[in-house]
Amino acid sequence: MMTDIKQSTLLGLALHELTSLVEESGQPQYRAQQLFEAIYRQRVESAEQISTLSQEFRLTLVQKGFSVGLPTVDGKFVSVDGTVRYLMAFADGQSVETVWMPEGDAGEAGDGSEAGNELEKQTSRNWDRATICVSSQVGCAVDCKFCLTGLLGVKRNLTAGEIVGQIVAVLNDQHVAPPRDRVNLVFMGMGEPFLNYDSFIKAVRLLVEGVGIPESRMTVSTAGIVPRIYDLGAEHVRPKLAISLNAPNDELRTRLMPINRKWSLEKLTAAARDFPLRNRERLTFEYVLLDEVNDSEENARELVELIRGVRAKVNLIALNPGPGIPFQTPAQDRVARFQDILIDSGVPTFGRRPRGRDIYAACGQLKRTLEMTA
Ligand code: SAH
Ligand code: SF4
């Protein structure tokens, strides 16, 4: 029934909703599949471009006020390392950021000495895989003390169509076609995906079934919204899970992430232990290292104890600094020492290389910065 479709954008509609739409319009049912293919697989930009549909039905769609609903690219900033930060604007004028990170031999420009060639390099195929970092909300309500997005507060949730739309717009801009091209997706942009759970999970399904990005190439990161961790575990189609831990005890974690008052480390690690991992899957714990705050050898040992028994790896992220963030980035040898303690205790631990810091595209730096650099 049309009545339960509140939006007039095609992006974000599931196959059953498209089926209602074509039936309402007196069209044969197979039109729904054609629409689905055109929106998500061919990634058309307007209803007029859907050449499989009859002229008459295309016109009906336009008359009913339906558009595809892609966000507009309001800004595009290219880093010396190949990372591209997009400013995506929606119909109501709100905007978020979406980050494209090519990886592989030619995708990385090294020390930036080849910066002048970056735009040219972006247009030819110079990567063997890429990761898109997608936003789930305009701003964020969680208020982590080290995060620029947190400083914004939350403006609103994104719809499923707006989440999928960011990815479709980037794929179109980069001329990329999954599943042929290897694209990973991380729900680690602006916002807390688990405070917009229904739209997030609907977007995941559309991305898997429509756009063709396998769920095994997707990761969602949460600050620790415990009930939603259980919900995710019960989904048939779901991304891998990353939990932003950032501190090894409640006292410190509550100071850095006030949400820890509501869901303590005990509840959070219980949810992590209960999370039904698939074959060979590992959970990820993210840990932002703040100089002299949570990066001591003692903290590393506490962390090992905290996560003992969870099949997990740890991603260490040295703080990406920003204006108004009252913490410092630890020196490289402190990061290395922390990492060594975890590895020596048998915890697989990786240091996440910051991407696109120069264009404010790195973790925790997303706040709709309009300038190229700070
Ligand atoms: N809201 C979700 C996902 C977006 S944040 C979450 O918090 O998990 C993605 C990651 O960036 C999180 O692991 C977060 O801890 C990290 N992060 C936030 N601010 C950062 C900063 N200033 N430097 C480095 N990483 C940061
Ligand atoms: Fe929100 Fe994640 Fe930033 Fe915390 S780290 S304020 S949850 S975006």
Side-chain angles (χ1 to χ4, degrees), residues 9-266:
T9 63
L10 295 170
L11 257 173
L13 296 182
L15 186 58
H16 73 271
E17 292 168 311
L18 292 170
T19 304
S20 304
L21 173 63
V22 300
E23 282 171 356
E24 276 279 310
S25 312
Q27 294 285 325
Q29 251 201 358
Y30 68 85
R31 292 277 185 226
Q33 188 65 42
Q34 289 179 325
L35 267 172
F36 192 80
E37 290 282 318
I39 299 162
Y40 299 108
R41 194 57 68 108
Q42 295 162 28
R43 309 194 310 258
V44 294
E45 290 177 356
S46 72
E48 289 91 335
Q49 282 176 5
I50 311 179
S51 53
T52 46
L53 303 182
S54 64
Q55 188 75 41
E56 174 216 349
F57 184 36
R58 270 184 266 176
L59 205 65
T60 311
L61 284 175
V62 174
Q63 277 165 355
K64 280 178 186 270
F66 276 98
S67 62
V68 172
L70 275 170
T72 52
V73 174
D74 254 17
K76 184 176 169 183
F77 309 98
V78 183
S79 162
V80 292
D81 68 13
T83 300
V84 183
R85 177 167 64 93
Y86 291 90
L87 191 63
M88 300 279 189
F90 303 109
D92 67 349
Q94 294 287 357
S95 58
V96 295
E97 298 184 337
T98 315
V99 184
W100 165 260
M101 294 170 282
E103 283 166 84
D105 294 344
E108 295 171 23
D111 62 3
S113 53
E114 306 154 74
N117 294 330
E118 276 312 299
L119 271 174
E120 187 190 317
K121 290 172 94 193
Q122 280 301 308
T123 52
S124 58
R125 185 57 47 84
N126 51 22
W127 47 276
D128 44 51
R129 62 192 190 284
T131 300
I132 300 175
C133 179
V134 62
S135 294
S136 54
Q137 300 182 299
V138 182
C140 185
V142 178
D143 197 26
C144 302
K145 301 304 178 196
F146 45 80
C147 175
L148 283 179
T149 309
L151 290 182
L152 292 175
V154 68
K155 294 272 182 347
R156 67 169 175 86
N157 280 336
L158 296 186
T159 64
E162 288 169 335
I163 297 173
V164 177
Q166 293 168 65
I167 294 134
V168 168
V170 171
L171 294 175
N172 285 352
D173 190 61
Q174 296 286 341
H175 306 288
V176 173
R180 191 197 65 209
D181 297 319
R182 193 175 148 181
V183 174
N184 300 308
L185 212 64
V186 293
F187 293 86
M188 298 186 186
M190 296 173 78
E192 167 50 54
F194 284 5
L195 291 179
N196 186 17
Y197 188 85
D198 292 347
S199 297
F200 147 74
I201 203 72
K202 185 179 187 189
V204 166
R205 293 189 196 118
L206 295 172
L207 288 161
V208 171
E209 292 159 18
V211 179
I213 302 176
E215 58 184 315
S216 58
R217 298 216 178 122
M218 298 181 188
T219 303
V220 63
S221 175
T222 181
I225 315 297
V226 168
R228 299 291 88 75
I229 294 178
Y230 287 97
D231 289 346
L232 186 77
E235 299 287 349
H236 289 296
V237 176
R238 63 156 177 84
K240 291 182 282 187
L241 176 64
I243 296 176
S244 297
L245 216 43
N246 301 330
N249 61 61
D250 278 320
E251 185 263 319
L252 190 50
R253 193 164 192 270
T254 301
R255 191 142 69 83
L256 302 175
M257 304 174 73
I259 198 165
N260 194 64
R261 270 194 207 102
K262 186 154 187 184
W263 291 293
S264 65
L265 277 174
E266 188 185 342

